[in-house]
Amino acid sequence: MPIIGVINQKGGVGKTTTAVNLSAALAERRRILLVDLDPQANASSGLGVQRPPRTVYDVLSGRVSARQALVRTMHPNLAVLPASADLAGAAVELDATTDNLLLLSRSLIGVRPTFDFIVVDAPPSMGALTLNALAAADHLIIPLQCEYYALEGIAGMMDTVERVRGSLNRELRILGILLTMFDSRTKLSQQVEENVRRHFRREVFRTVIPRSVRLAEAPSYGQAVLEYAPMSSGALAYQSLAEEVIDRVSEG
């Protein structure tokens, strides 16, 4: 079953928001596992998972299996492999040997048949944890904030993907670039969208994620926006994205 990494080495671009809300939207149609690989654990808390007894750190360190660390959410089709601050230790402990960079990929083998999609929320940096996500993923979603410096760093991200393809994961492909925090009232957002679509064409998702108060509020209630404000613009956008993701994956 496909593993989708949500990755951008730049912070503040809507990466975790996308991982959480895309997972929740996909869970309305499919069986989903969200893997929280970020030591900030915002994806875990954003789905109401607080102080889990076992975490992805325990999985990567070999103490428990991925199946033993799964936490069910209030969504019947959505489970989380949660993170905690301990995961920061793994980022320090893991050196860049191939075995260490394949820990996540190997850990997920046992649970892949249980789920239709696995979504991985990677940290906003290019260390051992993110490289584990890249090594495990079949597809990547790259969130890109609609701001002046949006295109900065994306070339570096593309170079990293090519290097990972050449060494760790030949099957890795970019599923799409996702424009986030779009504000239709500003000319800047419109210009950024135009530039990104001109540069990357079909790689850019049709769906655009709007800047939304409801999206910002939902994590403080431990809920995806589809629960917190199901008719909000953010919820409708992530439902649209889920449909696009399913279509793109099925197209191969």
Side-chain angles (χ1 to χ4, degrees):
M1 300 303 154
I3 298 177
I4 300 173
V6 183
I7 292 177
N8 192 322
Q9 52 206 78
K10 187 176 186 294
V13 297
K15 178 183 59 62
T16 296
T17 298
T18 292
V20 167
N21 291 294
L22 172 61
S23 295
L26 287 170
E28 294 187 338
R29 303 159 175 81
R30 302 287 194 274
R31 298 166 302 165
I32 308 299
L33 172 63
L34 172 59
V35 179
D36 189 351
L37 210 59
D38 190 337
Q40 296 178 81
N42 289 335
S44 303
S45 62
L47 286 171
V49 179
Q50 303 280 356
R51 299 184 183 85
R54 303 180 185 92
T55 70
V56 70
Y57 176 66
D58 298 309
V59 175
L60 295 178
S61 58
R63 296 189 185 100
V64 298
S65 70
R67 191 172 300 279
Q68 290 171 314
L70 292 184
V71 176
R72 292 287 167 183
T73 70
M74 58 182 63
H75 298 264
N77 290 330
L78 178 57
V80 180
L81 189 52
S84 69
D86 291 345
L87 193 54
V92 174
E93 293 161 13
L94 297 177
D95 57 38
T97 60
T98 300
D99 277 353
N100 278 342
L101 299 181
L102 294 175
L103 285 173
L104 180 65
S105 179
R106 291 168 179 161
S107 297
L108 293 176
I109 290 171
V111 297
R112 283 189 79 159
T114 306
F115 298 97
D116 298 310
F117 288 93
I118 297 176
V119 178
V120 182
D121 182 33
S125 61
M126 199 47 69
L129 293 174
T130 299
L131 288 170
N132 261 273
L134 289 167
D138 304 297
H139 307 280
L140 295 182
I141 292 174
I142 303 174
L144 202 63
Q145 185 179 356
C146 291
E147 63 166 18
Y148 185 73
Y149 294 109
L151 291 173
E152 280 198 4
I154 193 105
M157 185 78 222
M158 298 297 191
D159 289 344
T160 299
V161 169
E162 286 304 317
R163 289 200 301 273
V164 169
R165 277 194 191 122
S167 55
L168 292 170
N169 183 358
R170 291 181 183 177
E171 304 305 314
L172 182 65
R173 62 181 286 259
I174 295 171
L175 191 64
I177 295 168
L178 176 67
L179 293 165
T180 64
M181 304 183 193
F182 181 85
D183 187 342
S184 59
R185 298 168 300 180
T186 69
K187 191 171 182 180
L188 176 60
S189 280
Q190 295 166 16
Q191 288 174 337
V192 169
E193 180 180 13
E194 184 181 320
N195 288 340
V196 172
R197 292 194 187 281
R198 185 169 64 248
H199 277 88
F200 296 104
R201 300 185 183 277
R202 294 187 65 186
E203 284 190 312
V204 186
F205 285 107
R206 293 188 308 275
T207 302
V208 174
I209 307 301
R211 187 175 291 279
S212 162
V213 173
R214 296 291 178 262
L215 275 175
E217 289 174 344
S220 64
Y221 292 89
Q223 294 179 335
V225 73
L226 277 78
E227 290 175 277
Y228 176 69
M231 297 308 296
S232 66
S233 60
L236 297 175
Y238 277 109
Q239 286 176 321
S240 171
L241 177 64
E243 292 171 6
E244 240 187 300
V245 165
I246 291 170
D247 287 347
R248 287 194 180 202
V249 170
S250 64
E251 288 168 4

